[in-house]
Every structure is written in structure tokens, then in C-alpha cells.
Amino acid sequence: LATIGSKVLKQRGLLPELDESEEINACSIKIPVEIDGQEEEWVVMFKNETHNHPTEIEPFGGAATCIGGCIRDPLSGRSYVYQAMRVTGGADPRADFKDTIEGKLPQRKIATISSEGYSSYGNQIGLATGHVAELYHPGYAAKHLECGAVVGAAPFSNIRRERPQAGDVIILLGGRTGRDGIGGATGSSKSHNLTSITTMASEVQKGNAPEERKLQRLFRNPEVTKLIKRCNDFGAGGVAVAIGELADGLIVDLDKVRKKYEGLDGTEIAISESQERMAVVVDKNDVDEFIEQANNENLEAYPVAVVTEEPRLVMNWEGETICDISREFLNSNGAEKHTNVIIEDNSFEETNSFNPTLKEIASTLKSASRRGLVERFDGSIGAGSVFMPFGGINQRTPEQVMVALLPVGTERQTDQATVMSFGFDPDWTSQWSNNEVSLYDKAYNSVVNSIAKLVASGARYQDIYLSFQEFFEKMTEQAQTWGKPLASLLGGLDAQIDFNSAAIGGKDSMSGSFLDLNVPPTLISFALAPVNSNLIISSALKEEDHPVYAFGLGKTPEEIKKSWEYYNKLVRDRQVLAARAVEVGGIAEAIIQMSFGNTIGFKQKTDSEVPWYSTQPSVIIAELKSPISSNEAVYLGETVKDTIIINDETEKIQDLLELNEDVLEAVYPTRVQEEILEVPDINFTIKTNEKKKGASIVKPKMIIPVFPGTNCEYDSARIAVSAGIEPEILVINNQSEQNLQESAQRLKKAIDQSQIIFIPGGFSGGDEPEGSGKFIASFFRNPEISESISNLLENRDGLILGICNGFQALLKLGLLPNGLISNVTDKSPTLTYNTIGRHQSKIVNTKVSSNLSPWFNSINVNDIFQVPISHGEGRFVAPDSVIQDLIKNGQVATQYVDLNGNSTMDSQFNPNGSYYAIEGITSPDGRVLGKMGHSERIGKNLYKNIPGQFDMKLFESAKNYFS
């Protein structure tokens, strides 16, 4: 059933981008991509994944390995994963602890800790998670829904696909093998019972994001990927499956598999699902080169198996053959299984037909702001996010899609992006109006809504591909239980055919039962399309006095598609300013959400006959530049300032926003409950002719060291190149003492040949206990490296920059605020945990407080810039006497400011609670700069849904310093 739609549409010639091969770990399409004026063929891969059962019993680890496992699938296809979403489902997280079901964790515990797990892994690996949705339904008390989706891409010319031949070698690379995860993925759909949380936690894999980051780096190198004939990631079944699927004939030497610890027997080694590992097939003559390349990325890699002529899977351990199975038997998939299916008439009529007030809509759990949840996830890493998760000057309108530029490298530019979203709501029957909806209808609606969201953002429905995620109650021998997924799949199938969008992948989980509780029948439709980032449309209403229209109100698929086509023409003609697809809250709820971002409201057309609480999933609400006359759209009204007027009801946007954000404030806080203290604005100016200059160098060199956990090196190199600086990325290898010594020598040599050191952001050592940056600092204190740094600063007029994690390292080295490597005392400035108690990712406003630093040579004191931040411990603290000295010396470089440009302690604008709203400081001469905001994450068509000036010209100033 999952493949019928794609087969039919392919036969009709409607899937021109479909990429088919024997490697089926992820959905795959081929698209033409224009890069610097030249067209290339690229592969785009996407995948969705669930870890419902592991997350239910161990929320942090289960959710972390959900995103980790999801990344590995397109990664094994040799694509670079650059875009992610998360969709979760739970019962009401505000429920009282005493109402927790026996044998279960509290709903709030599952919701909050799983969000920490997923965001921790994604943030560490450096994956932009631009859309996060959490669905609430009482049925998810049976089992939590934990679902992720990712997108990867690579030039097709980088990918080699060949059938393995006898004599080829299988290399295992990445993390080591342990007992954690034995039965994990194979048990991800296990039934939950009263003892699960105490007996099954050991099955949850232990994630290691920095290790998988190394795999990402390795597989981004075409010299490496062109050595790989075939690749498999490690999921369910461990070595037995990951290696066992690579070729028909194999001999696996389990004694060669490196372990986390001793004591594992052959079976445990064979089936362990420990994460962050890959198995690759290479020619026997390429083994040494591949291992050397892996070592250059600080990865373990070693041969563990060979391909044979005889079609048998053989595994040896301690001199014995413990597995010897014919490929014919493995390919049989075991005995055939059959079941009877009955689709019951499960449609029902919703009898509640009241029309809610705008305040009632804004304050429902369904419509409530998820901002306190979403801001835990890094939305800007990779410098490719076309949207941040919330748009408008207030950053309060939630986007419905994740849009990201393709990762074309550090020296190239493209406007090509991919847009991804999903369609599903457990309550497709509207709580506002009469509806008759079956499981067939719900699934159909999910598909249509997923397509409508992408169309609203600027994509063509003809370019959209789907992947399904199913989550149903435990299937029994009763034919009626099987009827639920069947009815849903039939609805999804008809929607695919009606809208020419094929589901080319999917994942199921049929274990959503606990005693007599069942999850709501869940079929999520993930949708992806290639788009031009110049044409992308955000959700927040932009200005007053613009007409607002509804598109897609047709009664038939053909009418809806015709309306969408007309809308897309308006997009291409640059007539659309804002748009949003209607969901279960109806048109009124869509208008409310669109109003929050810029405090722009809406006034209903007086004689409008449009049902304002309609939940038709194909409808797109759009703000246009000028009125149109067309049968393909219905005029709804026009934009106004500050208020929403619908059905003779008038409400201030700010009042609705406060209601909307209060709903989940106790679960996912968005503000710090403390007195807002006044903060002095700091201004320090020196004359231009007092500025120091570096030696005259046409193209200065910048060394960018990559430590275990660093994840901003590509962003940093890209912005350096664009400014005319030559970057060198140098990976620090800590596999052994010898590797560390060799890395130290390489770094010393690189520093001696460079004019700039840039320590980029990340999670060094996975953010070591008691604060991050210590491993970097201890490495830089190597006597030879310290000497090179001193020589750079004292004799060669060099510059040093540290952002986020790099800022932390500079403080621990004493380079800030002292200007030289020195001892740190209890009075030294430091960075500690954000006062809000969680990771913060958003765009903040910063003001230049001093022009002392050469890094600010191209801008002026009091200039205000918008800058992405993403950190959990960025609160700058120091004794007041130390801060006063910094202010007096002009070393306070930047401050956090509000929308009026005033420095503030308000957590909405000062995201970490830094003393004196300090965002960055410099050394006494200004040549060493440290700051929390990621000023390297800039570029064309980024953060298009938030107005502002993002380029502080740091790197341009550094280049000019040496001119």
C-alpha cells in the first residue's frame, strides 16, 4: 500500500526527479542546482524516524537517538544532512503529577526531558532544526509520539554506487560497540507494560553526537565518498544487519569489532545497536587510503569483513563459526503472514457547533505558543536557514515549514533550497463546527495539508514528494484493528493520486497501546520540495492596508490545484507578502498566528460568507500587495494595525499573544521571573587615526581549529572566504597521545603561517562537566602553541576571534580580558548557565558599545545588528569592579538591546541574563574579540522572516586591518 501511489504516478510520468537505486535507506530525488551560474545535478535525500517506545521509557536517550538514527540514513547515502524537523505527541503536559498513570512517567517529564534529548543531540551535531511541533491528545498517554525528519544533499557526481565484488573489504568506522541498544531499534515498537520503565531502559542506545559529526565531515569529502561502493548505517540488528545487508556473500570477523569494554560475547557483538557507526564497502586496494582519510577526521576505521563469492552470511568469533546462513533464506523474509481486515464505518459527526471567541481560540492548548519548546533547538547552525522558526520583528509568528539552502560548500553560492513540513492533527474533526470525518478522511486531510503548507511557502505542488509516518495501536487478531491503518493508507493513497504527490518512503510503529489505552490513529504526511529561496513566503502579516485572500476553497482536487496554481503565479510575480495554510483551528486561528509577528491585525470583510472556523486543509490565507479579480480566490478582508476584527468581535493582538503564550508557560518557560533592572548603555569611541593596523597582506590566512564537538567550522570558513580571507580548517585528533602531539605540531605550524585565529562555536568535549571550553583551553596551553599565540599577538599584529564556545575558551585561557594567555582566578570573567535554565536559539539585537577593536573597523558605536544566538551557557558574569574596568578601557564590545535600542536585562532580549547586558568583550588593545552571538552565520536569503541588519562586517574589518 505504501508504494502503490508512487508506482502509479511514475507510470504516468509524473515523478521526473525520482532517484532509484539498490540503496534504500532514505527517500531520494535528483534535482538541477544552479551554483555560481553553473548547473549541477544534486541528490536530495530525506527520512523520517520514530523512537516512540525508547522515548516513553527513557525520554532523553530515546529522543536523542531518534534524531541520531534519522541522520544516519541519508548520511549513509553519502549526503550531508543540513535540515531537520521534530514532531511529537503527548497528553496534556500540564496534568497534575498525582494523575500520572501507574507504570508511566508523568506527561510533563516525558515532554520536557525528550525535548532536551532531541535538541541536545541535534544542537551538538550542528543540525539546524527549523520546525518543531508538539501535538496534544489524551490518547498519547498510551504512548508518546517521538518523530523526527531530516534532509540531506550532495552532488550526484560524489556518490558511487556499485555492487560489491568478491574480495572487497567492509570497513567499520565511528563509535565502538557496547551492550547499550541491544534490542533497541528492533524493540522501538515493543508493547509497553507496567514494568517497562524499570526493565527496558538498558535497550535505549547511548548517543554520541560529536562522533557522528565526524562521520558527517568525512562523508562530505568527495575523495572519500568516491572510494565507497556501498554503505549502511547501524540501526536495528547491529553488525548482523548493517554488514549483513551489504553483499550476498560475507565473512565477518567479530573479533575485529572494537568494543567499548570487554565481556561481550559473539551474539552481543553481532546484534548491538550502539550508535554512530557506519559500514562501508571498498575495493581491497583502497582500504589504506580510506582508513587514512578517516584518521584525518579523528575517526577510528578498521576492516571487519570481506565479500565472498558464496552467497552465505558467515560470522566468526574466537575461532568458531557462530553464524552461517544462506542468502536465499535471508532474502525469503521468513514465513508468509496473512490477516483478515475489516474497515468499520468509523466516521462520526461532531455535534458541537459553537463559534468560539478569538480569546478562546488563542488560549486553547491546540493553538498555544510552543516558543518555549522551539527555542531549545538550534535554528541557525549551518548558516543555511531561510527562516527562523518564529517570524516578524517580534519573532512571534510560528512558521509552518523549515526552509534551508543546499550545503554547496564554503566557496560557492546558490539560491536553491528545500522546504519541508508535515500534515497531521489527531483532531481533524473540528471542535468549532459540524463535520463528519473518517480515518480515511483524516489521512487524506493530512496529505493535503502537508502539500498546502509547502504551496503556501512558495513551492509548486507538482514538485512535492512525501514520506509517511504511521503510529497505531497494537495490532491483534481482530480484523477491525487492521482496518484502521488500512483505511488511513487508502485515504493517503487517494490523496497522492489526486494531487500527483508520491509517498516514496515511510516508517511505521504499531505498538501504541497500554493496557486499555490506545494512541489516536496517526498517519503523518511529511512533504518536501525544492524551491528558489528568492521566492519563499513567510507567515507574518507585513503591513497595514493590504488585501487578504483565501486560496484553495474548491470542492474538488482539480479546483483546488487550479487555485494553488494561480496562487503560485502570484508568488512568482512577487505579489504575495505573507501566507499560511489553515489547520484545525480554522481560518480565524491562522489569522491570529499571522498577526503576532509584526503586530499587524486584520479586519473581516463586512459581508463575507466564508466560514471563519472552517478547517478545510487545502486553504491558504495570503496577504497580497494589491487586490485581484479571480475566481480562484476569495477576498476575506484587509490588514489593519494592532487589532483583529472578526464576526463583530474586536481584540488587541497583544492581549491575544499574552493569552497564547501563557498556556504552556509553566511547562516550557519563555521568560525569567525576576525584576527587570535598568542597565547603562555603554559608549566608548576612539578616533579613526588612533586605530592600529596590521602588516600589509593581500590575503590574510585564518586558522580554524576543529576540536571534538566543534560544529561551526563550515560557517566560519564560508564567511572568511566571502571577506577575502583564506581559511584553513585543522582537525584536532585525540585518538591517542601521539595523535594529540602531532595535532599540536600541526596547529603550531598553522598559527605561525596565519594572521588570524578563529575558535568557532560548538560543544567542545560534548560540553564538559562544569562548563564548556576546557579541552580547547588546555590544548592551547601547550607550551609551543602558547608561544606561537604570544608571537602572533606581540610581534605579528595578529587577530583572534572566539564565538560562543570559542568565547568560553578565550575566557578560560585568560586571553580575555587580559590579551595574553594567563591564569584564571575566581575574579575572572566567565560564562555560566542562562538564567532561563535552557538552551536559547533565536535572533537577538546587539548594539556596538565600543570601536576599540579592529574587528569593528567597518561599523560605528551605537550601530545595532541582529545576530543569531544558540547556547545554554552564555551568561557573562564578573565582579562589578572588573566590569567597571572593562567599561572604562573600552573592552565591552557589544550589548544586548531591546527593540528600541536600549540595553536591558529583559530575558526576551538579553537571552542569558548577562551582567550589564554584555554580549562581547575584547582584550585591552581590541585585537582579541570574544562574543556569544554567531556573527559568522550570515549570507544571502537567510532569516528572511525577520527584518534587520545581520552583517556586522567583522570579517571584512579583519581583512581591511591587514590591507
Side-chain angles (χ1 to χ4, degrees):
L1 278 168
T3 62
I4 290 173
S6 58
K7 289 178 179 178
V8 170
L9 294 172
K10 178 187 174 184
Q11 190 177 55
R12 295 178 182 176
L14 297 175
L15 306 180
E17 299 89 1
L18 189 63
D19 173 42
E20 295 180 274
S21 73
E22 292 182 353
E23 298 185 39
I24 55 171
N25 284 340
C27 307
S28 186
I29 60 175
K30 291 179 185 176
I31 62 171
V33 178
E34 185 175 298
I35 304 172
D36 296 331
Q38 300 294 317
E39 188 172 288
E40 297 180 9
E41 186 176 47
W42 275 59
V43 170
V44 173
M45 297 181 173
F46 58 103
K47 178 66 188 296
N48 48 286
E49 178 72 84
T50 50
H51 262 212
N52 306 329
H53 180 70
T55 306
E56 177 78 19
I57 61 176
E58 208 282 87
F60 188 98
T65 53
C66 177
I67 179 61
C70 200
I71 293 168
R72 287 198 308 272
D73 285 306
L75 178 59
S76 70
R78 281 81 84 198
S79 67
Y80 184 78
V81 180
Y82 60 99
Q83 179 177 1
M85 292 174 48
R86 178 178 185 247
V87 180
T88 54
D92 192 337
R94 303 167 300 175
D96 196 293
F97 177 81
K98 64 180 175 56
D99 295 328
T100 302
I101 300 170
E102 182 183 357
K104 292 275 187 180
L105 295 172
Q107 288 299 309
R108 182 178 301 195
K109 174 89 170 176
I110 298 174
T112 57
I113 303 303
S114 64
S115 70
E116 292 176 12
Y118 193 112
S119 62
S120 173
Y121 196 102
N123 294 350
Q124 287 187 66
I125 202 172
L127 177 57
T129 304
H131 188 55
V132 179
E134 188 152 272
L135 311 173
Y136 300 115
H137 188 281
Y140 287 124
K143 184 172 285 188
H144 177 80
L145 167 68
E146 185 66 42
C147 185
V150 300
V151 187
F156 185 62
S157 60
N158 289 2
I159 301 173
R160 176 184 179 184
R161 292 170 176 166
E162 294 181 12
R163 286 192 174 183
Q165 302 296 316
D168 287 345
V169 176
I170 284 80
I171 294 175
L172 196 158
L173 67 153
R176 295 194 173 192
T177 298
R179 286 194 178 91
D180 57 282
I182 290 180
T186 48
S188 63
S189 292
K190 282 186 176 179
S191 297
H192 190 86
N193 57 47
L194 290 170
T195 64
S196 295
I197 59 174
T198 57
T199 61
M200 295 181 177
S202 62
E203 296 179 354
V204 180
Q205 299 104 311
K206 303 298 183 287
N208 185 346
E211 191 72 11
E212 191 165 6
R213 173 70 179 182
K214 299 175 192 176
L215 291 171
Q216 280 190 309
R217 284 186 48 84
L218 180 69
F219 279 25
R220 199 173 187 182
N221 181 352
E223 294 181 10
V224 172
T225 57
K226 289 176 181 178
L227 298 176
I228 300 171
K229 291 185 174 184
R230 185 167 290 181
C231 178
N232 223 348
D233 69 291
F234 277 73
V239 167
V241 174
I243 295 178
E245 289 179 341
L246 287 171
D248 286 344
L250 291 160
I251 297 178
V252 184
D253 187 347
L254 296 175
D255 292 324
K256 292 183 178 179
V257 177
R258 298 180 186 177
K259 303 178 286 295
K260 297 178 181 179
Y261 36 76
E262 294 304 316
L264 277 70
D265 64 27
T267 301
E268 290 172 321
I269 297 170
I271 68 171
S272 168
E273 296 160 16
S274 294
Q275 295 219 113
E276 290 75 48
R277 298 179 293 166
M278 288 283 176
V280 300
V281 181
V282 301
D283 187 279
K284 62 183 178 182
N285 297 317
D286 294 332
V287 170
D288 291 342
E289 181 181 352
F290 186 91
I291 291 175
E292 182 181 357
Q293 292 277 13
N295 184 67
N296 291 340
E297 291 295 346
N298 198 16
L299 275 165
E300 286 190 326
Y302 46 91
V304 296
V306 293
V307 179
T308 63
E309 288 280 4
E310 186 178 10
R312 300 189 70 82
L313 173 60
V314 178
M315 290 191 281
N316 299 321
W317 178 63
E318 293 188 345
E320 294 185 15
T321 298
I322 64 170
C323 175
D324 188 348
I325 306 175
S326 73
R327 181 60 54 179
E328 182 181 11
F329 173 75
L330 289 173
N331 290 344
S332 72
N333 294 316
E336 289 188 2
K337 295 181 179 180
H338 301 268
T339 189
N340 294 320
V341 181
I342 296 175
I343 299 179
E344 294 183 324
D345 181 11
N346 51 25
S347 62
F348 59 92
E349 187 170 339
E350 173 68 57
T351 58
N352 187 2
S353 59
F354 78 101
N355 288 337
T357 66
L358 296 176
K359 285 185 175 180
E360 286 173 331
I361 295 174
S363 58
T364 62
L365 182 60
K366 184 173 293 294
S367 300
S369 172
R370 272 66 160 175
R371 187 167 62 86
L373 165 65
V374 176
E375 287 178 352
R376 296 170 182 263
F377 299 78
D378 193 335
S380 61
I381 180 70
S385 296
V386 179
F387 285 165
M388 288 297 284
F390 290 86
I393 193 171
N394 303 316
Q395 296 180 62
R396 292 296 187 273
T397 290
E399 300 295 348
Q400 295 179 306
V401 296
M402 163 59 169
V403 193
L405 298 171
L406 262 63
V408 297
T410 59
E411 300 185 10
R412 307 198 295 170
Q413 299 289 329
T414 187
D415 293 327
Q416 183 66 56
T418 48
V419 57
M420 192 179 199
S421 191
F422 79 99
F424 173 70
D425 193 292
D427 298 317
W428 266 120
T429 55
S430 171
Q431 58 183 307
W432 311 131
S433 61
N434 290 323
N435 267 311
E436 187 174 289
V437 179
S438 66
L439 293 182
Y440 173 97
D441 296 322
K442 284 188 177 184
Y444 191 101
N445 288 350
S446 294
V447 173
V448 175
N449 188 241
S450 68
I451 299 171
K453 288 178 180 178
L454 266 58
V455 172
S457 72
R460 299 186 331 133
Y461 76 84
Q462 297 94 330
D463 298 333
I464 293 172
Y465 287 81
L466 310 174
S467 184
F468 285 169
Q469 180 72 58
E470 302 165 43
F471 187 27
F472 288 84
E473 65 194 71
K474 181 180 179 180
M475 296 293 106
T476 69
E477 294 181 358
Q478 293 183 348
Q480 289 83 357
T481 60
W482 287 95
K484 295 178 182 179
L486 177 58
S488 299
L489 285 167
L490 290 174
L493 172 60
D494 277 353
Q496 291 178 67
I497 303 302
D498 285 346
F499 291 91
N500 303 333
S501 294
I504 59 173
K507 182 80 183 287
D508 62 59
S509 180
M510 303 295 196
S511 66
S513 297
F514 179 76
L515 303 179
D516 59 347
L517 295 176
N518 295 317
V519 298
T522 301
L523 190 146
I524 302 171
S525 173
F526 287 98
L528 177 129
V531 289
N532 186 321
S533 58
N534 291 306
L535 298 176
I536 211 72
I537 305 297
S538 61
S539 284
L541 297 174
K542 302 301 186 293
E543 298 176 14
E544 297 176 65
D545 301 325
H546 285 145
V548 177
Y549 288 83
F551 296 81
L553 280 168
K555 300 295 185 183
T556 68
E558 293 307 315
E559 291 174 344
I560 292 169
K561 287 187 290 186
K562 187 177 179 182
S563 176
W564 285 351
E565 288 169 6
Y566 182 78
Y567 167 81
N568 192 261
K569 179 181 182 303
L570 293 175
V571 171
R572 296 194 305 273
D573 292 341
R574 313 278 182 166
Q575 289 299 307
V576 181
L577 296 174
R580 189 174 188 85
V582 170
E583 300 189 79
V584 167
I587 292 176
E589 194 263 351
I591 293 289
I592 291 172
Q593 298 288 0
M594 295 173 77
S595 297
F596 289 155
N598 291 312
T599 321
I600 297 295
F602 170 81
K603 183 177 181 180
Q604 175 188 353
K605 176 187 173 186
T606 306
D607 58 347
S608 173
E609 296 180 359
V610 175
W612 289 96
Y613 306 105
S614 168
T615 63
Q616 189 170 337
S618 60
V619 175
I620 297 167
I621 308 303
E623 172 192 5
L624 304 184
K625 287 184 178 179
S626 56
I628 59 172
S629 177
S630 173
N631 294 329
E632 317 308 330
V634 175
Y635 175 62
L636 300 180
E638 63 183 12
T639 55
V640 294
K641 186 68 175 172
D642 295 330
T643 60
I644 299 176
I645 305 172
I646 294 178
N647 288 355
D648 296 324
E649 181 187 353
T650 303
E651 293 291 349
K652 283 283 187 180
I653 293 172
Q654 193 60 37
D655 293 340
L656 296 175
L657 177 60
E658 290 177 5
L659 286 171
N660 192 248
E661 295 207 322
D662 279 345
V663 178
L664 287 168
E665 183 66 24
V667 181
Y668 299 118
T670 62
R671 51 187 179 267
V672 177
Q673 301 299 326
E674 61 181 27
E675 182 180 1
I676 304 300
L677 304 175
E678 291 186 5
V679 181
D681 286 320
I682 300 170
N683 295 279
F684 184 94
T685 305
I686 63 172
K687 297 178 182 178
T688 303
N689 59 13
E690 296 175 354
K691 290 268 189 177
K692 296 180 180 179
K693 292 289 290 182
S696 182
I697 298 171
V698 175
K699 194 168 188 177
K701 289 191 66 174
M702 172 186 286
I703 181 64
I704 304 172
V706 174
F707 294 88
T710 297
N711 62 19
C712 295
E713 67 272 24
Y714 293 125
D715 315 7
S716 305
R718 182 185 300 111
I719 189 62
V721 168
S722 68
I725 298 170
E726 180 183 347
E728 178 188 354
I729 295 176
L730 191 151
V731 177
I732 306 301
N733 189 313
N734 67 338
Q735 296 290 330
S736 67
E737 184 177 346
Q738 180 181 348
N739 291 141
L740 274 172
Q741 291 174 351
E742 292 173 353
S743 294
Q745 289 298 317
R746 289 188 294 117
L747 182 58
K748 170 184 167 52
K749 182 179 178 180
I751 292 173
D752 290 340
Q753 296 174 350
S754 302
Q755 288 72 47
I756 307 169
I757 300 173
F758 182 10
I759 308 177
F763 294 76
S764 67
D767 267 9
E768 305 104 330
E770 303 301 323
S772 184
K774 297 196 296 296
F775 177 69
I776 300 175
S778 63
F779 192 84
F780 271 97
R781 287 185 183 275
N782 174 289
E784 293 186 347
I785 296 176
S786 295
E787 181 182 353
S788 291
I789 292 173
S790 297
N791 184 47
L792 175 75
L793 292 175
E794 295 171 13
N795 302 318
R796 298 172 47 224
D797 299 322
L799 300 176
I800 298 179
L801 173 64
I803 290 181
C804 201
N805 209 192
F807 185 15
Q808 293 169 317
L810 293 178
L811 289 168
K812 287 179 169 61
L813 282 164
L815 278 166
L816 289 176
N818 303 324
L820 71 163
I821 294 178
S822 52
N823 293 327
V824 174
T825 71
D826 58 358
K827 293 185 178 180
S828 300
T830 190
L831 296 167
T832 187
Y833 297 103
N834 301 345
T835 52
I836 201 169
R838 62 165 169 84
H839 196 94
Q840 287 263 54
S841 175
K842 59 166 73 171
I843 303 296
V844 298
N845 306 310
T846 60
K847 177 179 74 72
V848 178
S849 301
S850 169
N851 69 345
L852 171 69
S853 175
W855 290 98
F856 294 146
N857 277 350
S858 302
I859 55 179
N860 301 307
V861 174
N862 292 324
D863 284 352
I864 294 176
F865 296 92
Q866 285 63 46
V867 60
I869 57 103
S870 182
H871 57 260
E873 46 181 283
R875 187 187 189 199
F876 182 88
V877 297
D880 194 71
S881 59
V882 173
I883 293 179
Q884 293 303 325
D885 286 341
L886 294 175
I887 295 173
K888 181 177 67 176
N889 296 334
Q891 290 180 251
V892 174
T894 48
Q895 290 179 284
Y896 299 106
V897 296
D898 60 22
L899 294 178
N900 296 316
N902 300 317
S903 53
T904 179
M905 293 299 292
D906 186 340
S907 60
Q908 300 298 316
F909 306 102
N910 181 342
N912 43 51
S914 288
Y915 289 8
Y916 285 76
I918 293 173
E919 187 261 344
I921 67 169
T922 72
S923 58
D925 63 2
R927 288 189 292 127
V928 182
L929 169 65
K931 64 195 304 294
M932 284 310 301
H934 287 278
S935 299
E936 80 282 13
R937 298 182 185 179
I938 58 174
K940 180 185 176 185
N941 283 341
L942 300 187
Y943 326 125
K944 291 184 67 174
N945 59 338
I946 299 174
Q949 171 58 254
F950 291 85
D951 188 1
M952 295 185 76
K953 303 186 184 301
L954 291 185
F955 299 87
E956 179 182 315
S957 297
K959 167 66 168 62
N960 293 338
Y961 173 76
F962 292 104
S963 297

